Amino acid sequence: MEENSRGISPRRSKRSTVHKIAAANEPNLFDALPDDLVVSVLCKLSSSAASSSDFINALLTCKRFKRLGFHQLVLSNVGSKVLAVKAKNWSDSVHRFLIHCVNAGNVEACYTLGMIRFYSLQNRGSGMSLMAKAAVKSYAPALYSLAVIQFNGSGGSRTDKDLQAGVALCARAAFLGHVDALRELGHCFQDGYGIRQNITAGRRLLMQANTRELASLLKSLVKQQPNHHHHHRGLNYEQFNCISGSGCSSMSNEPASEGHPVNVFLKEWFELGLGEMGEGLRLCSHKGCGRPETRAHEFRRCSACGTVHYCSRGCQALDWKLRHKLECVPFERWLE
């Protein structure tokens, strides 16, 4: 049998050509799937993806995924982990993606982009508008953030404070189960700040906030522990005391509960110097917050030492429990 210059017989070459033609004529089962089914799969992916890179890599798999990945239903279901952008990775393309999600009605994107515009990009009006859009849909973090803005008069002067509006927004977020809002509202009742003083109601709200926070921390610790038969009794008494903050001298070394990803973004944005803060302006001293002052002396400071500043009573109480109570030195003892 004669062979060509490549050493392949004509019969074998003809056979491979026939197979290629047959394969090309076979129907593609993926292309036969209706768009609605593919969109449904992408909706599930966008809401459950562990990171933005996982979601983007999936869209780059084929042209059809890339086209349907920007469907309104898909963008409206994008979850917080996909929207959790790092400050060092901020770019125009990330900004455009967030805008697409906002236009699709994604509440999480409204809040995330609203916070970034208000604090990082200093576009106060647009930022508040986006946060209000999320708050109208009963998104608790947006309600609480707007309450903090009203309490401080952020973006304006001291005369722009609206304590009653702040309490109303905080109460709505607390009703939806937001722990920081519960804690803030409890302190408002205790101090008579923006509402008639009611110490009993304030203590009750603070107990609810501590209980919810403790339950969340216990749940996260149980997930971290290995599932062995020898651990059927769960957490011991010492772990419980350390979490609750009673009887544990090393409470300051305990990791704080994770906040919203946008708070991490704000903290990184200003610590990396990506955004300029005015002279004399400070970040909230609670390491899980990241909110900056928008004018001088906007945040309250510790009345004992005067070295730390907080955007809210909630942040102050939480930072005291996690860290500051072991570091606070009254001003009168500085000379000693």
PDB file of all heavy atoms in Angstrom, residues 239-255:
ATOM      1  N   GLN A 239     -14.287  27.735  76.382  1.00  0.00           N
ATOM      2  CA  GLN A 239     -14.556  28.340  75.078  1.00  0.00           C
ATOM      3  C   GLN A 239     -15.767  29.247  75.154  1.00  0.00           C
ATOM      4  O   GLN A 239     -15.786  30.332  74.581  1.00  0.00           O
ATOM      5  CB  GLN A 239     -14.785  27.239  74.041  1.00  0.00           C
ATOM      6  CG  GLN A 239     -13.518  26.496  73.655  1.00  0.00           C
ATOM      7  CD  GLN A 239     -13.820  25.324  72.755  1.00  0.00           C
ATOM      8  OE1 GLN A 239     -14.737  24.554  72.998  1.00  0.00           O
ATOM      9  NE2 GLN A 239     -13.042  25.174  71.700  1.00  0.00           N
ATOM     10  N   PHE A 240     -16.796  28.810  75.902  1.00  0.00           N
ATOM     11  CA  PHE A 240     -17.996  29.626  76.024  1.00  0.00           C
ATOM     12  C   PHE A 240     -17.682  30.960  76.691  1.00  0.00           C
ATOM     13  O   PHE A 240     -18.144  32.017  76.273  1.00  0.00           O
ATOM     14  CB  PHE A 240     -19.054  28.874  76.839  1.00  0.00           C
ATOM     15  CG  PHE A 240     -20.320  29.651  77.057  1.00  0.00           C
ATOM     16  CD1 PHE A 240     -21.304  29.644  76.094  1.00  0.00           C
ATOM     17  CD2 PHE A 240     -20.505  30.397  78.199  1.00  0.00           C
ATOM     18  CE1 PHE A 240     -22.475  30.362  76.269  1.00  0.00           C
ATOM     19  CE2 PHE A 240     -21.663  31.113  78.389  1.00  0.00           C
ATOM     20  CZ  PHE A 240     -22.651  31.100  77.430  1.00  0.00           C
ATOM     21  N   ASN A 241     -16.854  30.928  77.746  1.00  0.00           N
ATOM     22  CA  ASN A 241     -16.507  32.155  78.440  1.00  0.00           C
ATOM     23  C   ASN A 241     -15.699  33.092  77.558  1.00  0.00           C
ATOM     24  O   ASN A 241     -15.870  34.309  77.596  1.00  0.00           O
ATOM     25  CB  ASN A 241     -15.702  31.839  79.711  1.00  0.00           C
ATOM     26  CG  ASN A 241     -16.582  31.313  80.832  1.00  0.00           C
ATOM     27  OD1 ASN A 241     -17.791  31.524  80.807  1.00  0.00           O
ATOM     28  ND2 ASN A 241     -15.980  30.633  81.797  1.00  0.00           N
ATOM     29  N   CYS A 242     -14.807  32.527  76.753  1.00  0.00           N
ATOM     30  CA  CYS A 242     -13.992  33.366  75.880  1.00  0.00           C
ATOM     31  C   CYS A 242     -14.846  34.048  74.830  1.00  0.00           C
ATOM     32  O   CYS A 242     -14.629  35.211  74.499  1.00  0.00           O
ATOM     33  CB  CYS A 242     -12.900  32.530  75.190  1.00  0.00           C
ATOM     34  SG  CYS A 242     -11.554  32.075  76.295  1.00  0.00           S
ATOM     35  N   ILE A 243     -15.843  33.322  74.293  1.00  0.00           N
ATOM     36  CA  ILE A 243     -16.702  33.907  73.273  1.00  0.00           C
ATOM     37  C   ILE A 243     -17.584  34.993  73.854  1.00  0.00           C
ATOM     38  O   ILE A 243     -17.758  36.065  73.275  1.00  0.00           O
ATOM     39  CB  ILE A 243     -17.568  32.811  72.613  1.00  0.00           C
ATOM     40  CG1 ILE A 243     -16.675  31.808  71.913  1.00  0.00           C
ATOM     41  CG2 ILE A 243     -18.536  33.406  71.617  1.00  0.00           C
ATOM     42  CD1 ILE A 243     -17.412  30.585  71.432  1.00  0.00           C
ATOM     43  N   SER A 244     -18.142  34.720  75.015  1.00  0.00           N
ATOM     44  CA  SER A 244     -19.071  35.678  75.612  1.00  0.00           C
ATOM     45  C   SER A 244     -18.374  36.852  76.258  1.00  0.00           C
ATOM     46  O   SER A 244     -19.006  37.840  76.613  1.00  0.00           O
ATOM     47  CB  SER A 244     -19.937  34.971  76.665  1.00  0.00           C
ATOM     48  OG  SER A 244     -19.115  34.413  77.685  1.00  0.00           O
ATOM     49  N   GLY A 245     -17.029  36.738  76.431  1.00  0.00           N
ATOM     50  CA  GLY A 245     -16.278  37.851  76.981  1.00  0.00           C
ATOM     51  C   GLY A 245     -16.227  37.855  78.492  1.00  0.00           C
ATOM     52  O   GLY A 245     -15.765  38.828  79.086  1.00  0.00           O
ATOM     53  N   SER A 246     -16.691  36.818  79.179  1.00  0.00           N
ATOM     54  CA  SER A 246     -16.675  36.764  80.629  1.00  0.00           C
ATOM     55  C   SER A 246     -15.662  35.736  81.090  1.00  0.00           C
ATOM     56  O   SER A 246     -15.674  34.590  80.668  1.00  0.00           O
ATOM     57  CB  SER A 246     -18.061  36.386  81.151  1.00  0.00           C
ATOM     58  OG  SER A 246     -18.449  35.132  80.648  1.00  0.00           O
ATOM     59  N   GLY A 247     -14.759  36.149  81.959  1.00  0.00           N
ATOM     60  CA  GLY A 247     -13.801  35.223  82.531  1.00  0.00           C
ATOM     61  C   GLY A 247     -12.705  34.808  81.583  1.00  0.00           C
ATOM     62  O   GLY A 247     -12.088  33.780  81.781  1.00  0.00           O
ATOM     63  N   CYS A 248     -12.428  35.592  80.565  1.00  0.00           N
ATOM     64  CA  CYS A 248     -11.362  35.251  79.611  1.00  0.00           C
ATOM     65  C   CYS A 248     -10.444  36.448  79.483  1.00  0.00           C
ATOM     66  O   CYS A 248     -10.841  37.488  78.969  1.00  0.00           O
ATOM     67  CB  CYS A 248     -11.931  34.872  78.255  1.00  0.00           C
ATOM     68  SG  CYS A 248     -10.665  34.415  77.063  1.00  0.00           S
ATOM     69  N   SER A 249      -9.216  36.325  79.967  1.00  0.00           N
ATOM     70  CA  SER A 249      -8.301  37.464  79.966  1.00  0.00           C
ATOM     71  C   SER A 249      -7.732  37.741  78.596  1.00  0.00           C
ATOM     72  O   SER A 249      -7.150  38.801  78.363  1.00  0.00           O
ATOM     73  CB  SER A 249      -7.145  37.189  80.946  1.00  0.00           C
ATOM     74  OG  SER A 249      -6.442  36.019  80.567  1.00  0.00           O
ATOM     75  N   SER A 250      -7.866  36.817  77.667  1.00  0.00           N
ATOM     76  CA  SER A 250      -7.284  36.991  76.330  1.00  0.00           C
ATOM     77  C   SER A 250      -8.349  37.311  75.296  1.00  0.00           C
ATOM     78  O   SER A 250      -8.220  36.968  74.138  1.00  0.00           O
ATOM     79  CB  SER A 250      -6.539  35.717  75.922  1.00  0.00           C
ATOM     80  OG  SER A 250      -7.423  34.630  75.875  1.00  0.00           O
ATOM     81  N   MET A 251      -9.394  38.007  75.732  1.00  0.00           N
ATOM     82  CA  MET A 251     -10.492  38.300  74.807  1.00  0.00           C
ATOM     83  C   MET A 251     -10.028  39.156  73.648  1.00  0.00           C
ATOM     84  O   MET A 251     -10.543  39.079  72.543  1.00  0.00           O
ATOM     85  CB  MET A 251     -11.627  39.004  75.573  1.00  0.00           C
ATOM     86  CG  MET A 251     -12.857  39.238  74.749  1.00  0.00           C
ATOM     87  SD  MET A 251     -13.577  37.687  74.172  1.00  0.00           S
ATOM     88  CE  MET A 251     -14.766  38.303  73.002  1.00  0.00           C
ATOM     89  N   SER A 252      -9.026  39.995  73.882  1.00  0.00           N
ATOM     90  CA  SER A 252      -8.565  40.865  72.808  1.00  0.00           C
ATOM     91  C   SER A 252      -7.930  40.079  71.670  1.00  0.00           C
ATOM     92  O   SER A 252      -7.811  40.581  70.559  1.00  0.00           O
ATOM     93  CB  SER A 252      -7.543  41.875  73.355  1.00  0.00           C
ATOM     94  OG  SER A 252      -6.416  41.194  73.863  1.00  0.00           O
ATOM     95  N   ASN A 253      -7.490  38.852  71.944  1.00  0.00           N
ATOM     96  CA  ASN A 253      -6.885  38.025  70.906  1.00  0.00           C
ATOM     97  C   ASN A 253      -7.905  37.215  70.138  1.00  0.00           C
ATOM     98  O   ASN A 253      -7.564  36.548  69.173  1.00  0.00           O
ATOM     99  CB  ASN A 253      -5.861  37.070  71.536  1.00  0.00           C
ATOM    100  CG  ASN A 253      -4.693  37.825  72.146  1.00  0.00           C
ATOM    101  OD1 ASN A 253      -4.301  38.862  71.624  1.00  0.00           O
ATOM    102  ND2 ASN A 253      -4.155  37.320  73.250  1.00  0.00           N
ATOM    103  N   GLU A 254      -9.183  37.242  70.571  1.00  0.00           N
ATOM    104  CA  GLU A 254     -10.214  36.497  69.863  1.00  0.00           C
ATOM    105  C   GLU A 254     -10.570  37.210  68.566  1.00  0.00           C
ATOM    106  O   GLU A 254     -10.697  38.434  68.536  1.00  0.00           O
ATOM    107  CB  GLU A 254     -11.476  36.387  70.732  1.00  0.00           C
ATOM    108  CG  GLU A 254     -11.281  35.486  71.939  1.00  0.00           C
ATOM    109  CD  GLU A 254     -11.062  34.047  71.553  1.00  0.00           C
ATOM    110  OE1 GLU A 254     -11.685  33.588  70.583  1.00  0.00           O
ATOM    111  OE2 GLU A 254     -10.265  33.370  72.221  1.00  0.00           O
ATOM    112  N   PRO A 255     -10.700  36.507  67.472  1.00  0.00           N
ATOM    113  CA  PRO A 255     -11.058  37.163  66.218  1.00  0.00           C
ATOM    114  C   PRO A 255     -12.453  37.726  66.292  1.00  0.00           C
ATOM    115  O   PRO A 255     -13.374  37.113  66.812  1.00  0.00           O
ATOM    116  CB  PRO A 255     -10.987  36.009  65.195  1.00  0.00           C
ATOM    117  CG  PRO A 255     -11.186  34.774  66.011  1.00  0.00           C
ATOM    118  CD  PRO A 255     -10.617  35.044  67.341  1.00  0.00           C
TER     119      PRO A 255
END
